[in-house]
């Protein structure tokens, strides 16, 4: 009975690809979360600065 050396190599390659895909997916997910938090804070800051202005200050010709 001869054993093939191709089978374990294929399994190792598949496991490596799965691990690399998981790591890449987690990194992308973390980047999306970080970007979402940053954008959410900047939009919140923009809204808070808009609320501090009185309508007369924004449009004096009114």
């Amino acid at each position: 009975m001869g054993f093939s050396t191709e089978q374990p190599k294929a399994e190792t390659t598949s496991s490596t690809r799965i691990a690399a895909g998981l790591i890449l997916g987690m990194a992308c997910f973390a980047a999306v979360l970080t970007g979402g938090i940053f954008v959410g804070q900047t939009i919140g800051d923009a809204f808070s600065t808009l609320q501090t202005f009185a309508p007369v200050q924004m449009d004096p010709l009114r």
Side-chain angles (χ1 to χ4, degrees):
M1 284 190 209
F3 293 102
S4 174
T5 57
E6 295 296 322
Q7 187 74 11
K9 186 177 182 181
E11 289 177 5
T12 304
T13 304
S14 178
S15 297
T16 304
R17 287 183 179 176
I18 290 171
L22 286 173
I23 291 170
L24 183 63
M26 298 275 284
C28 290
F29 182 69
V32 167
L33 280 179
T34 304
I37 291 169
F38 177 73
V39 169
Q41 287 178 347
T42 54
I43 289 175
D45 291 342
F47 283 143
S48 67
T49 56
L50 284 176
Q51 290 175 356
T52 58
F53 291 121
V56 175
Q57 291 175 338
M58 290 181 67
D59 190 7
L61 300 176
R62 192 172 183 193

